Amino acid sequence: MSALTGTTRLARLVLRRDRIRLAIWILGTPLLGYALAGSVAGIYPDQEARLGYATTSASSLVARAFNGPIHGTDLGAVVVAETYVTLALIVGLLSTFAVTRHTRQNEETGRAELLGANVVGRYAPLTAALLVIVVANALAAVLLAVALVGAGLPLAGSVAAAAAIGGVGVAFTAIAAVTAQLSVTSRGANALAAAIVGLSFVLRAAGDVLGEQSADGTRVRSAWPSWISPLGWGNQVRAFDGERWWVLALPIALLLAGVALAYALAERRDQGAGLIAPRRGPTTGAPRLLSPSGLAWRMQRGTLLGWAVGVAVLGFSMGIAGDEFNDMIDANPAAAEAINAMGGGADLIKAYLAAMLGLFALTIGAYVVQALLRVRGDEADGTLEAALATAVSRTRWLGTQVLAATLGAVALLLLAGVTTGLGYGIVTGDPLGQAVELGGAALLRLPALLVIAGVVTAIFGLLPRWSVVLSWTTLLVFLLLGQLGAVLELPQAALNVSPYTHVPAVPAADPAALPLVVLAAVAAALLAVGVAGFRHRDVPS
């Protein structure tokens, strides 16, 4: 029997299990790319506006760190500078999570052992997962190229930009194949892969910050750290600026090397084990673990800490960037209109700060979804059944999970506002005052996050098998409508679907109590529906 026996059938199984996720991934990536490209084209419609953007971005260290290098004044170059990092991070994380789900998670839940009882080769499960995910990245890249061409961008540059983003997905597919061999748990494998994604972002940012600005001030040539980052490779393709096609060979080379290493590591471990030995815990558990709240905190604290570090760094950086915002506005009035549309105020600096807080609220919505979907994971792996066999009621258990996610969201919102205020206050001379003001403004976004928590809880209570797909899809819809809807000039009826639309854009606008009360009432109703559904449905063994 070959080590790859059964790969084709297992690939069909992967497609069967992930048919909805893959469809959203493959179709959602080009749709998001098309929407972002259209938005950027509206903000920078002429050569003068793009020249102002290019010179400002090339001279701004903050812009280089978060958006990457700019490669000229063509519309395509501006689109890539504004969208590449967002799309690349999404594709990279989707790829790593998908690999882990069909390799390490299968071993953790016992599915791999069940499949191994049939005629299945040693490498077949890993190979099947890699084949499907690489093909998914390729299809998403092809459709993204079509979407960019449809947005009015040149063909060659569109293909190069789409291939660069697809290459990021392929590169992190290889990395996840290795991390799945190292950790004994799927959460550990995902954490390792996500940490490498974060390190890649840092290396790319360092390379772009240390890069050299061209003589005309419209281009940046990255330094060497970008070349050791899979996220940096996509920028080095230089889409829409004399494309360097050979750079696309780097993610392919990493894929081949990663697969070979993953195969070698798989030979050195037993099924269900990892090469990194799990750390031994204490002989007796802490008394607080006997309560649902103590257990929820124990399970969430690592994730919350990781989010807190990222939010603090980004918040402080965005606050400092507020000082450079005036230069960008002077160079491009169209960008001022876009920020005003997102921030909702006549004072452009306050509109910028409001827009940044809105972006943080959208991002922290992902934390709420991630934290609450843990309940679905506990149900799927049998942990929930064991917990409910004790003196804990269903209502108390689910309520504790919702409370833990909500408190985490409160902490992250407050941290985002305070760090943004500190960064902006340092450059304006009032760090304490700005931290207090923006911290309070950030907390006003909480009712929107409560609605997200209510949606996830309702889906879990009524449609548990679809909870993962529907929850993330709902958040994506809210993101597109709440943040890009105003820029894309969508109808108000569509914008009203997102809870973020109804949150007052403080500090650019005056706070209003009625929308917040309505959002809180909607959230309470959704939470009640979710709890009622959970109480009256079966919990599978």
Side-chain angles (χ1 to χ4, degrees):
M1 181 179 68
S2 168
L4 298 177
T5 299
T7 298
T8 303
R9 291 186 177 182
L10 289 178
R12 290 203 299 266
L13 177 61
V14 173
L15 289 171
R16 176 67 178 80
R17 289 183 59 199
D18 271 10
R19 61 192 184 280
I20 304 298
R21 290 187 179 95
L22 290 173
I24 295 174
W25 176 0
I26 294 171
L27 298 177
T29 301
L31 288 175
L32 180 59
Y34 181 83
L36 292 173
S39 172
V40 172
I43 297 173
Y44 308 99
D46 52 42
Q47 183 66 19
E48 182 181 359
R50 295 194 290 270
L51 177 61
Y53 173 85
T55 53
T56 303
S57 297
S59 60
S60 170
L61 298 183
V62 175
R64 290 194 209 176
F66 289 98
N67 289 346
I70 182 72
H71 295 298
T73 60
D74 289 345
L75 176 60
V78 176
V79 169
V80 169
E82 283 288 288
T83 63
Y84 168 76
V85 171
T86 299
L87 292 175
L89 285 174
I90 290 173
V91 169
L93 290 173
L94 286 175
S95 298
T96 58
F97 295 158
V99 172
T100 301
R101 182 165 58 253
H102 294 289
T103 54
R104 173 54 60 183
Q105 188 183 81
N106 280 350
E107 294 188 37
E108 189 177 15
T109 58
R111 283 191 291 264
E113 185 177 8
L114 182 63
L115 292 171
N118 296 289
V119 183
V120 174
R122 174 73 173 178
Y123 302 147
L126 175 61
T127 306
L130 295 180
L131 282 174
V132 171
I133 296 162
V134 169
V135 170
N137 277 296
L139 289 176
V142 170
L143 294 178
L144 178 59
V146 173
L148 294 178
V149 172
L153 301 181
L155 176 61
S158 299
V159 172
I165 292 171
V168 172
V170 169
F172 285 110
T173 297
I175 290 171
V178 175
T179 60
Q181 313 305 315
L182 299 178
S183 176
V184 73
T185 65
S186 58
R187 290 173 183 169
N190 278 332
L192 284 173
I196 295 175
V197 173
L199 177 61
S200 298
F201 181 89
V202 171
L203 288 172
R204 181 213 56 79
D208 295 335
V209 167
L210 297 173
E212 297 181 356
Q213 188 175 354
S214 63
D216 62 0
T218 62
R219 291 171 173 82
V220 173
R221 295 295 179 257
S222 302
W224 63 268
S226 290
W227 286 98
I228 58 177
S229 166
L231 281 174
W233 295 342
N235 290 130
Q236 306 315 312
V237 174
R238 295 182 186 173
F240 304 101
D241 185 35
E243 293 79 13
R244 299 195 295 190
W245 300 100
W246 64 268
V247 178
L248 296 173
L250 294 177
I252 297 175
L254 179 59
L255 175 65
L256 297 176
V259 171
L261 178 58
Y263 283 168
L265 295 177
E267 287 287 352
R268 300 177 63 86
R269 67 177 183 86
D270 294 329
Q271 188 176 80
L275 291 177
I276 298 178
R279 182 172 59 89
R280 290 185 178 183
T283 55
T284 58
R288 63 178 179 274
L289 296 179
L290 296 175
S291 67
S293 57
L295 181 60
W297 164 246
R298 175 64 180 82
M299 300 302 292
Q300 295 287 353
R301 65 183 184 184
T303 302
L304 182 60
L305 177 60
W307 274 88
V309 172
V311 165
V313 172
L314 289 174
F316 189 76
S317 302
M318 293 300 181
I320 292 178
D323 189 46
E324 300 178 350
F325 182 71
N326 283 323
D327 297 333
M328 185 185 75
I329 293 305
D330 292 339
N332 189 1
E337 295 180 6
I339 289 293
N340 185 34
M342 290 189 295
D347 187 324
L348 289 177
I349 290 295
K350 290 187 176 181
Y352 165 80
L353 295 173
M356 294 304 102
L357 294 181
L359 287 173
F360 275 117
L362 282 166
T363 305
I364 295 169
Y367 165 78
V368 174
V369 174
Q370 180 186 16
L372 284 178
L373 284 181
R374 188 183 292 272
V375 300
R376 175 56 187 165
D378 289 343
E379 181 178 25
D381 62 21
T383 304
L384 173 57
E385 185 182 22
L388 295 180
T390 65
V392 177
S393 67
R394 294 191 180 199
T395 301
R396 183 186 175 193
W397 182 83
L398 184 57
T400 300
Q401 302 297 321
V402 173
L403 179 61
T406 301
L407 292 177
V410 170
L412 293 176
L413 278 175
L414 184 60
L415 183 63
V418 169
T419 53
T420 302
L422 283 175
Y424 182 64
I426 286 174
V427 298
T428 59
D430 184 23
L432 181 59
Q434 292 294 334
V436 172
E437 180 182 359
L438 294 184
L443 288 178
L444 292 178
R445 273 76 179 173
L446 180 61
L449 297 180
L450 292 178
V451 172
I452 293 175
V455 170
V456 177
T457 305
I459 294 173
F460 171 72
L462 301 175
L463 301 168
R465 292 185 59 187
W466 294 88
S467 55
V468 175
V469 172
L470 291 180
S471 296
W472 287 113
T473 302
T474 301
L475 181 65
L476 179 61
V477 171
F478 288 168
L479 185 153
L480 293 175
L481 294 178
Q483 202 60 37
L484 298 178
V487 176
L488 298 176
E489 299 181 351
L490 296 179
Q492 188 62 41
L495 300 182
N496 288 337
V497 172
S498 171
Y500 294 102
T501 303
H502 307 283
V503 176
V506 181
D510 294 330
L514 181 59
L516 302 180
V517 172
V518 172
L519 288 176
V522 171
L526 290 170
L527 289 170
V529 169
V531 171
F534 179 59
R535 287 181 59 193
H536 291 91
R537 69 172 176 82
D538 292 334
V539 175
S541 300

